[in-house]
Amino acid sequence: MLQVLVETRCMCSDEVLKSSVSWMTGAEFEEVLRELRQRNEAEEEQCRATEAHVLMNTDD
């Protein structure tokens, strides 16, 4: 399982608009990344972007 931080930031001011931490599998994380890429392309003119980062990986 991966502990993932998902943040939506304003690209102009670098302000964090939304932030959440959750646990998910590697496959779920890949799906989230795909969705974020599509969403960010659609929201580009709104000057905001959402990123996902792995905080902790418990798969040994």
Side-chain angles (χ1 to χ4, degrees), residues 16-50:
V16 176
L17 305 173
K18 194 165 76 177
S19 180
S20 67
V21 175
S22 57
W23 289 95
M24 58 184 69
T25 64
E28 289 170 328
F29 180 62
E30 292 296 324
E31 182 63 28
V32 165
L33 289 180
R34 268 195 299 278
E35 288 176 13
L36 291 182
R37 264 184 230 115
Q38 293 171 345
R39 187 190 316 165
N40 286 344
E41 287 171 10
E43 291 184 344
E44 206 169 86
E45 61 280 355
Q46 293 181 19
C47 191
R48 55 187 224 185
T50 305

Side-chain angles (χ1 to χ4, degrees), residues 3-7 9 29 33 36 51-56:
Q3 186 179 37
V4 177
L5 168 66
V6 178
E7 280 187 335
R9 288 181 172 269
F29 180 62
L33 289 180
L36 291 182
E51 298 179 336
H53 303 281
V54 175
L55 298 178
M56 187 184 306

